[in-house]
Amino acid sequence: MRDFLIIYVNGRRHEVRGRRAFQSLSHFLRYDLGLIGTKVVCAEGDCGSCTVFVGRHEGDKLTYRTVTSCIQFLYQLDCTHIVTIEGLKYDGQLNPVQQAMVKCQGSQCGFCTPGIVVSMCAMFEKKRDVNADDLRGALVGNLCRCTGYDSIVKSGLAVDTTTLRRLDDLYPPDAIVSDLIKTAGESVRVTDQKTFFKAVTIDEAARFRAENPDCMIISGGTDVGVQMNKCLRDPRSILSLAGMQALRGIEVKDDAIVAGANATIAEMEAFTRDVLPEYSRLLYYFGSPPIKNAATIGGNVGNGSPIADSIPAIYAMNGEVELVGTSGSRRVNIHDYYTGYKKTVQKPDELIARVIIPLPKAGETLKLYKISRRKDLDISAFTAAIWMRHRGNSIDDVRIVYGGVAANILRLRQTEDFLRGQAFTLSNLQHAGKIARSEVKPISDVRGSADYRLQLGENILTKFFIDVSGTTSGNGNGWNDGNGNGNGNGHSVDPTLEGIAGEVH
Amino acid sequence: MAEKTTTEAPAAAPTEKPPVPQAALPKNGAEKPKTDTQTYPVGIAGVKIEEEERKVPATEAPPLPINEKLAVIGKPTPRVDGRAKVTGAAKYSADINLPGMLFAKLITSTVPHAIIKSIDTSAAEKHPAFRAIHMLDRDRSAAQTEEEKKDNWPRVRYVGQPLGAVCAPTQAHADDIARLVKITYEQKPFVVDPDKAKEPNAPIIFQGNAEQAGTAGGGGGPKDVKQNGNVRGPVAKGEADKAEIAFNSADVTVELDFRTQVQTHCALETHGLVADWKPDMLTVWASTQGTSSVRDELAAVFNLKKSQVRVITEYMGGGFGAKFGAGNYGVLATHLSKKANAPVRLMLDRREEHLCVGNRPSSIQKLKIGAKKDGTLVAMRLQSYGTAGVGTGAGASGPTQNLYTCPAIYTEDSDVFTNAGPSSAFRAPGHPQGAFSLEQGIDSLAEKLKMDPLALRDKIDDSEARREERRIGAERIGWKDRKPAGSDAGPIKRGIGVAQAIWYRIMNRDSHCDVRITQDGSVEFLSGVQDIGTGIRTALAQIVAETLGLKPTDITVKIGDTNYPQGPNSGGSVTTNSISPVARNAAWAAREQFLGQVAPALGVSADELEMADGRVFPKNNPNQSLTFKQAAKKMKVEQVAARGDRSDDYESKKGPRGKGAGGLGGVQFCQVAVDTSTGHIKVEKVVAVHDCGRPINPMGVKSQVNGGVIQGISYALFENRILDRNTGVMVNTNLEQYKIAGSREMPEIDAQLIEQYWGKSSTDAAGIGEPATVATAACVANAVYNAIGVRITQIPMTPAVVLEALASKQKASA
C-alpha cells in the first residue's frame, strides 16, 4: 500500500502526498506546477476550457482520453500520464493544430483556446481525415464566447495532417508504462483530515466500503465532482474505483450486454454501435467527449438520477445490476434496484460490479428518446424508452419507461396494460398517450414545465408509432425493421405531424 | 438595387497606383505636412470613391489611400499574439500567481431585500487560515439613493449582492471562511418580476431617487430621471403630439408588442483582479476593458495619486461591456491586500459572475409604425420598459430613433427596478433589444404594404453603406428565391430573413501612445490601451508597420499598462477609431525623426527617402537601399521616439444624426429551419455584411462579426436568466442551465465587409464589436416568420415558445 500518488505530467513523474492529493487536477496543474494554460471557467465540466489528456496504461500501451480537469481529482488519477496544452508542442515548435489555429484566427480572446487545441488534437489522435461535422462534434464540449466557432472549424480543416505526430511519438510510452505497470497494482491510502482509498481489487473496495459506510464512491466523478466544486458535498472518506481493471470491459454474453461498472459512456457508445445501435445513438448525445470519457455506466446507474440518460433503456430491456460485497455477489433486476429518490437496495458493503442489458430479439423493438432544450450537451427534461414485442400486427408485450416525470424512473404499467394485445395503430398509440399522461406526475423546474413534460409524455407514444411504422396513417401495417431502426427523427414523414405537439405551454 | 452600383474607376482615388505604398501619397506626403488642408478618399470602395478636402491639424500624418493601395493595412493578418494563445503561454489576470499571494472570496447576500442588522465575523476570524476581512459600505455596482450613502453597510437588494470578502492562503480556505461570516438581516418584501414591480402596490426597492455610477461596469442610464415607485422614467425623445398627429396621415399602421429577456455576458474569464498594495505603489492585474478606469476608481477610493496606481491587463478573456472600473471586487481585493500586507487574488466564480457584475436588461416594448402606401414612414412610436435589476439604463429606443428616415419619432424608455443584479453595458446597449422590435415591425409593415422587405428598406433607409450591404447580402443568401411565409410543406419549414443594424462612430480623444525606434532596429508601440480579445494589438502593429515599411511581426506592441501613455477604454466600439489614428500619427512622427537621423548616411536629405519592404532608400534611386536594421544602426542617437495624440474628427459633411455618414451600418441575412413537431429552430446560414470605416485587419474584423452573430443567435434561441419569483434566487448560475451556443448550433457564417471612407481621421477606421450583434436576433425572428408564418415576438425562441406560437395560430385559424 502506497501513501502517495504517482502522476506523470507532460512526461515528468510527480509523487503527490498529503493534502495535495485531494486537489482537483486543474488546481494541481495551475498552482502546484504553474501550468496556467489549463483554464478554469465553469468548474463544472461544461465549458471544456480545462480539457487535458489523461493517459492510462492498457497492457503495455498508454491510451489517452480527454477529460475536464476541473472535475477530476488527483485521487482518481493515480498511475496516469497527464498531457496539458503546454505539452503538445513538437520540439518547442507549434504543432500543426496550433499552427492552423494561428493562421486561421481560431483564437480571439484566447481563454478557451488551450482547451480547444487539446480537444482538436484528441480528435486527430483518433482520426486524420476529418470534415466540419467531425470538428463540431469533437468541440461540442468546448464553449467559445468570441469567435463564433467558424474560424475554429476552419482552423481544424486547415491542419496539415501529414505532419501530425501521435502522443506516443511525443512521449515514448515504454519508460512510463514500465513504471506504471510496477506501481498500478498497489492500492493507495492517504489521510490528511480526510481519507481516500484507491482500491485495486473488488474485495478490498468492498471491505473499505463496509468499514466506511458513509464513504463517497468515485470513479469518473462527473457528477460528484460538480457537487464538490459547488460545496454541496465534502466527504470525510472517499473510495476511488477509478481505473480499477476488475470493473472494466464490455462483452456480449447470453444475448445480453455485460458491462463492467467502470466502462465509460464513450466505451459503451462505441461497443453498442453494432450490437444495440439505438443505445449508441442515445449515448452520442449523452455529453461532450471529455464527459463521456470520464463518466461510467456504473456511476450513472449508482447515482440513480431520474433523468440519467443511460438507465431507461436498462428498464425497458428488463436489465440487471450485479452487486458485489464482502459476502459474494448477487444480481438485482433494475426494477427492484431503486427504492426512492437516489436510494437503492445496495447494502453498505456492496458495489456495482456489472450492468446487464439484454438485447432485443427478432420481433422486438427498442426506441429511446432524450428531450432537452437543445440537442447537445444538455441534461434531459424528459427521457423515454419503449420496448415492444409484436405478433403480426398486434402488440404482444410492451414496456414503457419515462424519466424526468417523477422522483424515480417510472414504468407506465397502466399504459402497458392497455396496449398489450391491441393492434399496432396510430389511434391505439394516441389513446395510450392519454393514459400515459394520466399516469405521470411531473414537476416544473428549470429544464421544463410540468405541462411541457405532460405533453411530451403523451406525444412520445405517437412519435414512437411514426418512428417505427414510418407512417402516420392509422393502419399501422409497417414495422420498419425489428431493431427499432425506423426513420428515426420523424422529419420526412408527413405534414400532419405539425400539430402533434402543438398544445404545449 | 442593382442599378445603384455605379462604380467610379480607381483613377478617381486620390493617388495613382504607387510602386511602393508611401511614395505615391499626395505631394506633401514626403514633406512636413505644414499645410492644414489635405485630400482624403471618401465613399465606398467598389461603389464610388471621391476626393474631398479636409482641414486638419498640422501634426496629423498624411492621408492614406484606400486599402487596395496599401501593403499591410487592410490585409488579412494573423494575430501577433496567436502563438502565446495557442500554447497556453498567454498570461491572463486569472493566471497571476505572486509569491505570498492570498486568495479572496466574496461574502454575498442570501436574501433578496433586507437591511443588515448585524455582521458577526468572529467565527471567521478564529479560523486558522484567516488573514483579513473587509466589509463594503455600499454596493458600488448598483444604483443607490443619496440617503443611504450615510449607512454603514450596503442595503441588500438582490440575492448574491457582494457585501464583503475574506482572504486566506488557499482558495478552499477562503471559501470556507466566507461561509463563517454571520449576517443578520431584517428582511423586506421583494419583487423580481418587472410586470409585478411596475404595479402601484409593489414592494419599493429604492426609497427616493436612485442613480447608478457611470463606472459601474460601464452601465448607468441617464441621470436625474423622475422616479415613481419602481419605475424610473420615462425618458422621452421627440414630441408625442407630433407623432400622434402624423399617425393620422398614415395609410397603413402596424402595432406590435415585444419582449426580450435578461442576458448575462458570460465572458470566459470572470471579473476579478490581483491587487498588490505596497506603501508607495498599488499594482493591480485586472481583467478589464479599461486599465485607466480601474486606476482612476482605485485612486479615488484609496485617496492615492493616479501615479501611485498601476493597472496591467496583458491578456483578457472577454468582457463584452461589463468590465469597467474597479468594481466591488476590486475595491475589496485592494482593502484586503492593504490589511493583510500581501498580494490578494479575487476572481469571481461562475455563479458570482452571472449574479453581480452585469447583464443586458430585459425589455417589454410597444411599437407603432405608420407609413404611406409607397412605404414612406410618417411616424414611429416606441414605449419600452425594461429591468436593469438594481441598475439603470434599460432603454431600447436607439434603433427606432436612428435607423430610418421618419419625420415624427417619439420614444419613451423606462427602467423598472427589481430585486435582481444590476445591468451593465453589454455589446451595443439597448440595440439588440431595439432592433428586435423595430426590424420585425418594418417586416410587418412591408407585408401589410405588400412590399418586399428589402425594397421597403431601400425606400426608408438613407445609409449608402447599408444599401450596398443589402445588395451584397441579398445576392449571397439567395433572396430572390425566398418563398412566401409558411409555404413549405412538411414538418420542417425553412425561411429567410433580414435585419439591419445601426451603431455610432464614437471615439475617445484621451488616446495616446509612444512609438520608439532603437538603434538595433527594434520598434515598439506603447499605450495603456488594452486588447480585450478583439485584436487591437495586431491592428496597431499593422499601422506602425505600414508607416515604416515593415511587417506587423517586426513591431513589439506593449499595451494594457497604465505606465504607458493613456489609452482609451474599450467600450462602445471606440478602440480602433480612437487609437489607430494615434498610432499612425506617432509612427509617422517617429519615421520623420528616424529618416532625419539616417539620411546623412545615404547622402540625401530626409524628405528624399522612402521606406518600404523592410528597406530605406532614396525615392529616385531604389537600388541604393539599406535594410531597416542597417539604417537603424546609422542613427546618431540610441533611440528616437514620438508621441501620438488623437485630434478631433476632421470636419466633414454631416448627414442627419445617426443616419448614413455619421453612423455604422450592418445588414444580416439568415436561413433557418424550424421543426414544427418539436419547436426546435436551427439557424443554417448567416450572411453578415458590415462596415467599420477602413478595415485595418479584415481577418480580425470578420472574427468579431462571427462572434457578434453567435452571441445574437445565442440570445435569440437559448440564453435566459431565470429568477425564482418565490425566493429571488437565480436558478441557472452556471453554463449548464444557462445555455450559450455551442459548436453544433453554429450556422455557416458568411461575413462580408465593405470599405467605407469618410475622411475623418488619419486612419479613418471605426469599430465593429457592437454593430455585429445588433441585428442577429431580429434577423432570426424574421426568418422564423418566413418559415412558419407566425411572428414570434419574444426571445429566447425556445421549443416551447415556438410550439405555443404555432398552437395559437392553429387556434386562431380554427
Side-chain angles (χ1 to χ4, degrees):
Chain A
M1 176 119 58
R2 261 187 283 130
D3 64 351
F4 60 90
L5 297 168
I6 296 168
I7 296 173
Y8 281 78
V9 179
N10 298 334
R12 279 192 56 192
R13 189 179 198 269
H14 299 269
E15 294 183 357
V16 187
R17 293 181 159 78
R19 196 183 167 91
R20 292 168 63 219
F22 292 85
Q23 305 176 79
S24 69
L25 174 57
S26 58
H27 196 275
F28 173 68
L29 294 172
R30 289 175 57 80
Y31 289 101
D32 286 25
L33 305 185
L35 299 172
I36 57 160
T38 299
K39 306 295 184 200
V40 176
V41 167
C42 71
E44 296 189 16
D46 290 320
C47 75
S49 300
C50 65
T51 307
V52 300
F53 283 100
V54 172
R56 289 186 189 271
H57 80 94
E58 287 171 9
D60 55 358
K61 284 190 187 134
L62 273 174
T63 306
Y64 291 95
R65 297 177 187 86
T66 52
V67 297
T68 43
S69 60
C70 68
I71 52 168
Q72 291 286 309
F73 295 89
L74 293 191
Y75 46 73
Q76 294 168 265
L77 298 164
D78 185 47
C79 294
T80 58
H81 178 212
I82 311 298
V83 181
T84 70
I85 180 70
E86 290 87 353
L88 289 175
K89 278 184 282 189
Y90 295 175
D91 309 319
Q93 301 302 309
L94 299 190
N95 73 32
V97 170
Q98 292 169 318
Q99 286 172 23
M101 284 283 285
V102 173
K103 196 178 98 192
C104 301
Q105 195 87 0
S107 184
Q108 208 177 98
C109 87
F111 215 69
C112 70
T113 305
I116 287 192
V117 169
V118 172
S119 288
M120 219 186 266
C121 288
M123 180 194 62
F124 283 116
E125 279 280 298
K126 285 198 213 151
K127 194 176 169 186
R128 293 283 162 97
D129 180 22
V130 299
N131 59 30
D133 278 346
D134 294 328
L135 279 153
R136 287 167 191 274
L139 298 172
V140 71
N142 292 86
L143 293 177
C144 166
R145 191 62 158 165
C146 298
T147 64
Y149 304 98
D150 193 66
S151 55
I152 298 172
V153 170
K154 284 185 179 132
S155 302
L157 295 174
V159 169
D160 176 4
T161 53
T162 60
T163 56
L164 279 168
R165 288 162 62 184
R166 298 181 59 84
L167 284 172
D168 276 349
D169 190 28
L170 298 182
Y171 299 98
D174 296 357
I176 299 175
V177 169
S178 64
D179 182 23
L180 295 187
I181 284 177
K182 265 196 310 229
T183 51
E186 301 164 350
S187 49
V188 184
R189 186 176 186 126
V190 175
T191 300
D192 187 309
Q193 296 173 353
K194 311 176 205 179
T195 295
F196 83 77
F197 178 63
K198 178 211 164 190
V200 173
T201 66
I202 295 178
D203 252 13
E204 60 183 14
R207 271 204 309 280
F208 183 85
R209 173 117 208 260
E211 291 156 14
N212 301 273
D214 296 330
C215 73
M216 180 185 82
I217 304 172
I218 190 166
S219 181
T222 53
D223 200 62
V224 292
V226 174
Q227 291 172 22
M228 300 220 297
N229 281 354
K230 285 184 172 175
C231 303
L232 298 175
R233 204 187 252 242
D234 185 18
R236 297 289 93 190
S237 62
I238 299 153
L239 171 60
S240 172
L241 306 176
M244 188 196 281
Q245 289 295 334
L247 296 179
R248 298 198 56 180
I250 315 169
E251 57 179 347
V252 171
K253 203 174 168 190
D254 304 331
D255 294 325
I257 296 166
V258 179
N262 261 354
T264 65
I265 299 300
E267 288 164 350
M268 290 294 285
E269 181 192 339
F271 184 85
T272 54
R273 202 163 290 143
D274 296 327
V275 299
L276 189 54
E278 181 69 5
Y279 200 46
S280 184
R281 253 200 302 277
L282 181 91
L283 295 180
Y284 179 74
Y285 289 109
F286 180 97
S288 64
I291 295 296
K292 289 194 286 191
N293 286 336
T296 63
I297 186 74
N300 215 227
V301 168
N303 191 40
S305 162
I307 44 164
D309 287 329
S310 70
I311 305 178
I314 306 172
Y315 270 80
M317 295 316 301
N318 209 20
E320 293 175 308
V321 180
E322 184 178 313
L323 300 172
V324 187
T326 41
S327 54
S329 72
R330 58 172 177 147
R331 283 190 176 190
V332 181
N333 187 286
I334 191 83
H335 290 90
D336 304 323
Y337 177 67
Y338 297 104
T339 56
Y341 178 70
K342 295 202 168 193
K343 289 201 168 70
T344 73
V345 297
Q346 235 165 294
K347 291 184 193 140
D349 67 329
E350 282 181 324
L351 301 164
I352 299 175
R354 266 169 279 279
V355 174
I356 297 99
I357 311 173
L359 291 167
K361 301 187 178 67
E364 297 179 358
T365 298
L366 173 70
K367 292 295 287 180
L368 303 172
Y369 299 94
K370 167 181 166 71
I371 310 282
S372 47
R373 280 173 302 164
R374 65 173 188 186
K375 227 170 168 183
D376 292 306
L377 217 62
D378 203 350
I379 290 177
S380 303
F382 175 84
T383 57
I386 303 168
W387 167 87
M388 198 177 272
R389 187 169 67 220
H390 51 99
R391 185 184 299 143
N393 191 31
S394 67
I395 299 163
D396 188 36
D397 197 5
V398 62
R399 281 189 288 270
I400 302 170
V401 183
Y402 285 179
V405 294
N408 276 93
I409 286 173
L410 191 72
R411 189 76 188 271
L412 280 78
R413 308 268 181 190
Q414 290 167 32
T415 314
E416 292 173 7
D417 287 346
F418 164 76
L419 281 173
R420 231 168 260 124
Q422 298 282 351
F424 185 63
T425 62
L426 180 61
S427 63
N428 278 335
L429 269 292
Q430 281 173 338
H431 186 72
K434 302 274 183 217
I435 302 173
R437 193 184 174 106
S438 69
E439 232 180 317
V440 299
K441 298 266 177 302
I443 57 161
S444 289
D445 65 15
V446 66
R447 298 185 180 100
S449 67
D451 282 348
Y452 184 53
R453 288 175 162 138
L454 277 174
Q455 192 66 50
L456 289 169
E458 180 178 341
N459 289 358
I460 213 74
L461 290 168
T462 308
K463 193 168 175 61
F464 172 78
F465 176 82
I466 294 165
D467 288 351
V468 173
S469 67
T471 171
T472 52
S473 73
N475 304 328
N477 192 19
W479 298 89
N480 260 7
D481 67 59
N483 229 349
N485 290 325
N487 75 6
N489 53 21
H491 284 174
S492 54
V493 184
D494 188 295
T496 54
L497 250 181
E498 189 175 337
I500 285 178
E503 285 168 25
V504 174
H505 296 285
Chain B
M1 289 165 285
E3 66 270 25
K4 190 61 202 156
T5 56
T6 6
T7 307
E8 296 277 333
T15 58
E16 296 296 327
K17 205 171 179 77
V20 286
Q22 301 301 331
L25 287 170
K27 284 188 193 90
N28 49 9
E31 298 161 9
K32 187 137 185 122
K34 288 166 193 150
T35 172
D36 56 1
T37 302
Q38 302 265 23
T39 306
Y40 290 82
V42 173
I44 297 171
V47 179
K48 188 176 176 186
I49 294 283
E50 292 174 323
E51 285 181 31
E52 284 185 17
E53 284 190 346
R54 301 275 185 268
K55 284 202 172 88
V56 305
T59 47
E60 290 291 287
L64 288 165
I66 66 171
N67 274 355
E68 70 171 14
K69 303 182 181 193
L70 295 174
V72 183
I73 291 176
K75 305 293 169 284
T77 305
R79 54 190 325 136
V80 293
D81 50 14
R83 185 188 168 90
K85 289 187 172 177
V86 301
T87 56
K91 203 174 229 186
Y92 296 75
S93 301
D95 300 326
I96 300 295
N97 189 6
L98 304 174
M101 185 177 83
L102 302 174
F103 293 78
K105 178 70 181 175
L106 286 183
I107 298 157
T108 58
S109 64
T110 53
V111 297
H113 199 187
I115 291 171
I116 295 175
K117 299 312 278 181
S118 67
I119 298 175
D120 178 1
T121 61
S122 56
E125 288 176 41
K126 276 183 203 134
H127 193 288
F130 172 88
R131 290 295 180 275
I133 184 167
H134 188 83
M135 300 304 293
L136 288 168
D137 57 354
R138 66 185 182 92
D139 180 351
R140 307 186 63 82
S141 298
Q144 66 172 171
T145 61
E146 270 308 309
E147 177 215 342
E148 71 190 76
K149 287 182 182 166
K150 298 186 289 271
D151 293 355
N152 288 335
W153 293 312
R155 302 279 173 96
V156 172
R157 294 201 170 94
Y158 66 96
V159 175
Q161 179 182 325
L163 302 174
V166 296
C167 63
T170 70
Q171 189 68 56
H173 280 129
D175 294 356
D176 287 346
I177 295 167
R179 279 193 293 275
L180 297 175
V181 176
K182 287 193 187 67
I183 299 173
T184 313
Y185 301 102
E186 179 189 316
Q187 290 207 53
K188 295 162 73 178
F190 68 95
V191 59
V192 296
D193 177 347
D195 291 309
K196 294 238 160 60
K198 264 165 68 181
E199 289 170 6
N201 55 352
I204 299 297
I205 294 162
F206 290 98
Q207 307 283 353
N209 273 18
E211 303 281 355
Q212 186 182 16
T215 50
K223 306 294 167 210
D224 299 323
V225 176
K226 75 174 160 101
Q227 207 171 300
N228 184 7
N230 291 321
V231 178
R232 186 179 187 271
V235 175
K237 282 181 203 147
E239 295 164 51
D241 296 350
K242 194 178 156 194
E244 288 319 305
I245 294 163
F247 276 122
N248 292 331
S249 67
D251 298 324
V252 174
T253 56
V254 292
E255 278 191 88
L256 288 161
D257 292 346
F258 298 92
R259 276 178 180 257
T260 64
Q261 79 282 35
V262 172
Q263 178 189 26
T264 64
H265 296 68
C266 295
L268 292 199
E269 184 183 35
T270 58
H271 284 65
L273 45 70
V274 175
D276 189 12
W277 178 279
K278 298 265 168 63
D280 50 353
M281 189 78 189
L282 167 65
T283 308
V284 170
W285 290 260
S287 182
T288 181
Q289 296 174 241
T291 49
S292 58
S293 74
V294 179
R295 174 198 62 194
D296 295 354
E297 192 174 348
L298 290 176
V301 172
F302 291 91
N303 198 22
L304 298 168
K305 291 179 188 162
K306 289 186 184 179
S307 60
Q308 288 177 297
V309 183
R310 180 182 180 193
V311 178
I312 302 166
T313 305
E314 198 184 358
Y315 291 98
M316 197 262 209
F320 311 114
K323 289 181 177 168
F324 292 96
N328 291 307
Y329 53 91
V331 169
L332 284 167
T334 306
H335 275 296
L336 290 175
S337 176
K338 194 176 171 185
K339 287 181 175 177
N341 195 22
V344 170
R345 176 191 195 267
L346 204 176
M347 296 300 297
L348 301 195
D349 66 22
R350 185 54 49 187
R351 176 179 170 274
E352 294 160 345
E353 183 72 14
H354 278 296
L355 285 172
C356 66
V357 283
N359 52 62
R360 184 187 296 288
S362 67
S363 73
I364 304 163
Q365 305 177 56
K366 264 187 161 351
L367 175 71
K368 184 177 180 183
I369 308 175
K372 293 287 190 191
K373 274 187 194 126
D374 67 352
T376 311
L377 299 179
V378 298
M380 293 200 284
R381 187 185 66 209
L382 179 75
Q383 286 161 301
S384 170
Y385 288 89
T387 184
V390 293
T392 62
S397 61
T400 299
Q401 280 290 346
N402 300 316
L403 193 48
Y404 295 112
T405 309
C406 178
I409 300 173
Y410 177 68
T411 60
E412 286 182 355
D413 287 314
S414 301
D415 292 336
V416 182
F417 289 120
T418 53
N419 290 107
S423 75
S424 64
F426 192 168
R427 209 166 186 171
H431 281 62
Q433 301 95 299
F436 183 70
S437 61
L438 177 65
E439 288 298 280
Q440 291 207 73
I442 296 295
D443 261 33
S444 288
L445 180 66
E447 187 176 37
K448 238 177 167 175
L449 292 165
K450 299 195 166 48
M451 278 178 88
D452 179 274
L454 292 181
L456 175 59
R457 287 176 173 87
D458 280 344
K459 176 95 190 169
I460 60 178
D461 180 3
D462 65 5
S463 156
E464 287 304 315
R466 278 191 297 268
R467 185 176 300 278
E468 176 65 2
E469 286 160 359
R470 284 193 297 274
R471 188 190 67 75
I472 294 169
E475 199 176 298
R476 299 186 78 90
I477 197 78
W479 185 265
K480 64 178 168 35
D481 301 324
R482 184 170 178 263
K483 290 170 285 191
S487 60
D488 265 355
I492 306 281
K493 299 185 188 301
R494 288 196 163 71
I496 289 176
V498 65
Q500 304 206 126
I502 184 161
W503 192 248
Y504 316 97
R505 218 183 120 86
I506 314 165
M507 64 95 175
N508 178 353
R509 287 197 62 190
D510 269 333
S511 302
H512 310 273
C513 75
D514 286 342
V515 171
R516 300 173 180 162
I517 304 170
T518 306
Q519 251 189 16
D520 66 349
S522 55
V523 181
E524 290 164 285
F525 172 96
L526 302 99
S527 171
V529 66
Q530 54 290 313
D531 191 333
I532 63 172
T534 54
I536 192 67
R537 192 180 257 120
T538 308
L540 292 167
Q542 286 176 270
I543 291 161
V544 176
E546 178 80 49
T547 306
L548 301 178
L550 298 172
K551 297 194 296 291
T553 46
D554 296 330
I555 317 300
T556 304
V557 180
K558 296 181 174 173
I559 56 174
D561 187 336
T562 55
N563 271 4
Y564 303 141
Q566 173 94 16
N569 293 330
S570 296
S573 298
V574 306
T575 314
T576 308
N577 190 354
S578 303
I579 194 75
S580 71
V582 174
R584 166 78 177 152
N585 294 346
W588 184 262
R591 173 193 147 113
E592 298 217 308
Q593 288 185 45
F594 175 77
L595 292 180
Q597 292 273 327
V598 304
L602 281 150
V604 293
S605 68
D607 57 9
E608 290 172 78
L609 287 175
E610 184 51 73
M611 299 175 80
D613 300 328
R615 308 188 79 82
V616 182
F617 51 90
K619 269 179 239 181
N620 55 9
N621 187 9
N623 293 332
Q624 188 207 339
S625 73
L626 294 175
T627 64
F628 178 76
K629 237 181 168 166
Q630 288 166 338
K633 281 211 181 72
K634 310 281 183 195
M635 290 205 305
K636 293 184 284 287
V637 293
E638 172 65 25
Q639 188 178 67
V640 294
R643 174 66 177 249
D645 304 305
R646 183 64 163 93
S647 68
D648 208 346
D649 274 353
Y650 308 157
E651 269 184 62
S652 54
K653 279 182 279 179
K654 277 205 176 96
R657 178 178 123 52
K659 302 185 189 90
L664 297 169
V667 180
Q668 296 186 357
F669 294 76
C670 72
Q671 177 184 306
V672 300
V674 183
D675 183 338
T676 51
S677 65
T678 62
H680 272 104
I681 295 169
K682 169 85 182 155
V683 182
E684 296 183 320
K685 181 173 183 176
V686 174
V687 177
V689 197
H690 281 270
D691 56 276
C692 56
R694 176 198 299 276
I696 304 294
N697 181 9
M699 207 172 189
V701 175
K702 285 183 179 178
S703 184
Q704 281 216 70
V705 170
N706 288 342
V709 167
I710 193 170
Q711 275 186 12
I713 290 174
S714 199
Y715 180 52
L717 301 183
F718 304 116
E719 297 182 38
N720 195 4
R721 181 190 71 182
I722 302 172
L723 299 177
D724 178 355
R725 66 182 67 187
N726 296 318
T727 59
V729 170
M730 177 177 171
V731 297
N732 52 347
T733 51
N734 48 39
L735 293 175
E736 187 257 304
Q737 293 301 336
Y738 188 96
K739 292 286 171 212
I740 66 174
S743 59
R744 271 208 283 251
E745 275 98 35
M746 278 322 296
E748 174 196 347
I749 304 176
D750 177 10
Q752 295 290 323
L753 298 180
I754 65 169
E755 286 172 43
Q756 188 182 28
Y757 299 93
W758 286 288
K760 284 197 171 212
S761 75
S762 63
T763 57
D764 223 1
I768 190 64
E770 330 255 346
T773 204
V774 170
T776 314
C779 179
V780 172
N782 279 339
V784 167
Y785 179 78
N786 183 236
I788 63 175
V790 185
R791 192 158 286 292
I792 299 194
T793 55
Q794 70 176 88
I795 42 177
M797 294 179 262
T798 60
V801 166
V802 173
L803 291 182
E804 197 176 334
L806 285 166
S808 60
K809 178 201 176 193
Q810 275 194 333
K811 269 184 201 142
S813 62

